[in-house]
């Protein structure tokens, strides 16, 4: 395969999409448990416990993540109320 800017751009796009998917998966795993102890008991397969502990601390203190998480919860609640 020839190394051209078009090929590089296509590969970069694939890498970005996979990274976003992986990051979203970690976020969902974090949100699936209510306490940090429960989260630490369920370390994702592709992470070391130390890495997961760091992410738990990051997700628990990152204001942008917390605001987005709350908006997602609020949007879900709004949709559920509308459906009922």
């Amino acid at each position: 395969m020839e190394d051209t800017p078009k090929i590089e751009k296509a590969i970069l796009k694939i890498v970005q999409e996979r990274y976003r998917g992986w990051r979203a998966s970690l976020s969902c795993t974090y949100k699936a448990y209510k306490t940090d102890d429960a989260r630490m008991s369920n370390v994702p397969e592709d992470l070391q416990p130390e890495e997961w502990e760091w992410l738990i601390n990051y997700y628990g203190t990152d204001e942008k993540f917390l605001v987005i998480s709350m908006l997602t919860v609020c949007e879900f609640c709004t949709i559920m109320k509308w459906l009922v």
Side-chain angles (χ1 to χ4, degrees):
M1 183 181 313
E2 192 174 333
D3 188 15
T4 66
K6 185 176 179 179
I7 298 289
E8 287 180 23
K9 186 175 179 179
I11 291 171
L12 184 58
K13 182 178 178 184
I14 292 168
V15 169
Q16 289 172 335
E17 289 171 357
R18 292 202 179 161
Y19 174 73
R20 271 190 241 117
W22 177 70
R23 193 176 64 198
S25 174
L26 293 175
S27 172
C28 287
T29 302
Y30 174 86
K31 292 177 190 176
Y33 303 98
K34 294 186 184 270
T35 67
D36 288 348
D37 288 334
R39 293 177 181 117
M40 280 306 296
S41 297
N42 295 279
V43 179
E45 290 180 12
D46 55 341
L47 292 180
Q48 297 295 318
E50 299 81 22
E51 295 170 320
W52 183 232
E53 183 177 17
W54 186 90
L55 281 171
I56 289 170
N57 290 328
Y58 172 76
Y59 286 140
T61 57
D62 181 52
E63 266 188 55
K64 181 179 174 185
F65 177 81
L66 294 172
V67 168
I68 290 170
S69 295
M70 287 308 298
L71 287 174
T72 303
V73 169
C74 291
E75 289 168 359
F76 177 76
C77 291
T78 302
I79 291 168
M80 291 307 292
K81 286 179 186 175
W82 180 76
L83 291 175
V84 174

